[in-house]
Amino acid sequence: MQAFLDSLFFAGRSVRQSCLLAVLGAGCLTAGDEAFNGRWIIQPLGGNNGRVLWLEVSGAGTASITGAMVGGGPGGQLDTIRAPRIERGQLFFHLERRFGREREIVAETHVVAALKGSTLYGTALRKRGGPLLWVGERAPALPERDDGTWREGGSVDLFDGSGIGGWHTLRPGGEDRWYVEGGVLKNRRRADVLVSEARFWNFRLQVEYLVHPGMNGGIGLRGRYEIQLLDDHGMPASDRGNGALYGRIAPSVNASKPAGEWQTLDIRLVGREVTVVLNGVRTIDRGVVDGFTAMATDWREDQPGPITLQGDHGAIEFRRIAVTPLTQ
């Protein structure tokens, strides 16, 4: 398998001459090209630091295929798929990372995918880190809406100011990178994602946090959708700014405070609808969450998920993390 995947990358990615599914031992498929259309939740096979990927495809079966992917390329942001085409029942595209004033391509990831039944199999071919095999399933419909009928239950304090009981790191053994000092939860350099043992579906999340100059972090809702935490006071609002649904929904205004000051987030999540109040300002009002963000670690989108904290992007502090379940 490894030799085959290496040959795809270094010999011009000649998978069009064979069937990916046959190589994977799953048999080839002759379904129509339009079967690739839709939203896909992708679980990597083997080690990938717990990350989950996401893909959307439209226009398959026509001359105008479009789409986007999270986690397939370097950096993990939402990337537009480039030069998509379907040959011999297989979907090909690549992702690009551009950098600098000239926007030069500094990294590429080549992806090939094939269908068997309702399952999507694929591989992402990268020069660094080797090829990544994955398997995908269609994203579920989440019909619930934040329509005013949801009522708050009892609040659950996920942080009591004394320790990290009720939490674990994504990869076992990394809890020592998080610590409590003066009733405040802090992270050390390159801290692993912190995951709550409690899992939630529809809820209100209240957080008090502080970012240090030039630093950022994130809060994962159900372990799938990241609300960005960032030192960006005075900058234009963006989908990668403080309080944004990372890479997907930008705040209506930038309501950030300067680095070093405590800030508040009040978040509601019902089905796929998210509302964000940053420092008392409603900045996202029932925005529709199309799919996962780069911080996704929990791939069962139709099930309750944890609250997760990102700690590998610099110093960030928390002094309140409280969840109130919402029920009808």
Side-chain angles (χ1 to χ4, degrees), residues 37-311:
N37 290 324
R39 297 172 178 173
W40 300 90
I41 298 170
I42 296 172
Q43 183 180 35
L45 303 176
N48 193 39
N49 295 331
R51 290 174 61 193
V52 179
L53 286 62
W54 183 92
L55 172 67
E56 181 172 7
V57 179
S58 61
T62 75
S64 300
I65 304 173
T66 60
M69 191 173 192
V70 170
Q77 69 282 340
L78 181 67
D79 289 306
T80 299
I81 65 175
R82 307 286 182 178
R85 69 188 191 282
I86 298 174
E87 296 179 8
R88 293 173 56 85
Q90 297 176 103
L91 172 65
F92 297 81
F93 60 86
H94 70 271
L95 307 170
E96 298 177 352
R97 165 56 62 89
R98 295 177 179 268
F99 187 76
R101 291 184 178 181
E102 303 300 323
R103 304 301 294 164
E104 295 181 358
I105 298 175
V106 297
E108 282 187 305
T109 300
H110 292 263
V111 179
V112 60
L115 276 161
K116 183 174 178 60
S118 60
T119 302
L120 186 70
Y121 296 87
T123 181
L125 306 170
R126 305 167 293 180
K127 282 186 176 180
R128 295 183 180 180
L132 173 67
L133 294 172
W134 48 260
V135 60
E137 64 179 32
R138 293 190 183 277
L142 303 180
E144 295 166 330
R145 297 290 180 265
D146 195 1
D147 56 6
T149 64
W150 296 88
R151 299 292 178 262
E152 295 186 5
S155 179
V156 179
D157 288 323
L158 296 184
F159 174 58
D160 64 5
S162 64
I164 62 169
W167 298 81
H168 63 270
T169 48
L170 185 61
R171 288 160 289 191
E175 288 79 10
D176 62 346
R177 308 306 297 173
W178 293 88
Y179 66 101
V180 176
E181 184 176 73
V184 176
L185 178 63
K186 302 181 180 182
N187 63 317
R188 294 185 171 89
R189 190 170 182 267
R190 299 190 181 280
D192 194 13
V193 174
L194 198 61
V195 182
S196 72
E197 294 175 1
R199 303 173 74 85
F200 305 94
W201 183 240
N202 296 329
F203 56 84
R204 177 186 183 188
L205 172 65
Q206 295 169 286
V207 178
E208 295 181 17
Y209 70 99
L210 177 153
V211 292
H212 289 248
M215 302 302 180
N216 76 82
I219 300 174
L221 311 179
R222 301 189 194 131
R224 297 159 199 150
Y225 321 122
E226 177 186 357
I227 299 298
Q228 170 84 315
L229 308 180
L230 183 68
D231 171 23
D232 70 348
H233 174 70
M235 302 293 289
S238 80
D239 62 7
R240 298 188 188 183
N242 194 35
L245 182 68
Y246 182 76
R248 292 191 176 275
I249 303 177
S252 57
V253 297
N254 184 347
S256 301
K257 293 183 179 181
E261 294 188 16
W262 286 100
Q263 306 191 56
T264 62
L265 272 171
D266 194 334
I267 303 165
R268 285 174 63 92
L269 180 63
V270 175
R272 292 189 182 277
E273 292 188 351
V274 63
T275 296
V276 177
V277 177
L278 174 62
N279 297 320
V281 179
R282 187 180 296 263
T283 55
I284 298 176
D285 188 6
R286 291 182 296 178
V288 177
V289 181
D290 287 330
F292 290 2
T293 67
M295 196 177 159
T297 58
D298 189 299
W299 78 302
R300 291 293 183 185
E301 197 174 19
D302 60 349
Q303 300 295 319
I307 302 300
T308 56
L309 306 178
Q310 184 183 58

